[in-house]
Amino acid sequence: MAPGDPAGRRASVRGRHGKLSRERVLVAALGVVDAEGLSALSMRRLGSELGVEAMSLYRYLPGKSALLDGLVEALYQEVEERLAHEGGSGASAWREGLRRVAGAVHAVGLRHPEVAPLLATRLLGVPLARRPAAVLRVDERILRLLHEGGLDAATATAAHRAFTAWLLGYLLVDLRAMADAPEEADPELRLGLHRLPAGDFPLLRASAPSLAGRGGEAELSAGVDALLDRVTATG
């Protein structure tokens, strides 16, 4: 088949698993990063994963920067899927809704630990109005829930800022590299804190049992409640 043949061009955008789409490309990119780390991701590696030439992918994502932004979009789409069946009613429904948002973001971040840091770094360079719809819909959901809780516009905006900042910080702390020797059962040995001079870092060494674990959903929900209690008390 001649290189200029239209049928040949159509065939070039059919991957190993069928016709390509932006969503399929992003799902494959997420899989590569989950399995091999962010440093492994390139258009060439992604093309190999999909069974197409790397150049075929540029019609869906114009470069590495767009690909990284697409990973953020893919994570937020997973958050939306988790929230799709959100329910609840009554005066406390808005609080439960915000707990659900926090739980969904946290769960998706833990599922994709190599991608989660991009939630902090990539959005720094993307103006609000140019962010993917999936990202904006989560922000819209948070603001709607805060308004449903009876907060005025200014207080809801401040609460949104506090909520999103706290949630991202909580996720990144839960994901931070802690284990020095994962095979060790003793928390102090697992974190390598026994190497620290006891006289200089007594509190870190004593905190080994709690530092060795993650905060988890119970601590997450408690933090959301504490934040909302403060907002409603001053709102």
Side-chain angles (χ1 to χ4, degrees), residues 23 153 168 205:
E23 181 180 7
L168 180 58
R205 290 190 58 159

Side-chain angles (χ1 to χ4, degrees), residues 136-186:
L136 296 176
R137 282 193 291 267
V138 173
D139 282 322
E140 182 74 12
R141 179 188 293 267
I142 294 169
L143 284 169
R144 174 174 53 78
L145 288 165
L146 290 166
H147 280 280
E148 288 176 357
L151 303 185
D152 60 51
T155 306
T157 300
H160 173 274
R161 188 191 308 273
F163 177 83
T164 53
W166 179 84
L167 176 57
L168 180 58
Y170 184 90
L171 172 61
L172 294 182
V173 166
D174 249 6
L175 286 172
R176 62 183 170 170
M178 296 292 282
D180 182 60
E183 71 283 357
E184 292 286 354
D186 182 275

Side-chain angles (χ1 to χ4, degrees), residues 54-76:
M55 290 301 296
S56 302
L57 303 177
Y58 285 88
R59 68 177 61 196
Y60 305 103
L61 296 156
K64 181 68 176 288
S65 181
L67 183 54
L68 295 177
D69 290 338
L71 290 174
V72 173
E73 179 182 356
L75 257 63
Y76 272 94

Side-chain angles (χ1 to χ4, degrees), residues 101-157:
V101 172
V105 172
H106 184 255
V108 170
L110 293 186
R111 185 180 178 190
H112 304 288
E114 293 287 334
V115 181
L118 295 179
L119 300 181
T121 59
R122 294 307 300 176
L123 295 184
L124 290 174
V126 182
L128 179 65
R130 297 183 186 177
R131 294 174 186 173
V135 177
L136 296 176
R137 282 193 291 267
V138 173
D139 282 322
E140 182 74 12
R141 179 188 293 267
I142 294 169
L143 284 169
R144 174 174 53 78
L145 288 165
L146 290 166
H147 280 280
E148 288 176 357
L151 303 185
D152 60 51
T155 306
T157 300

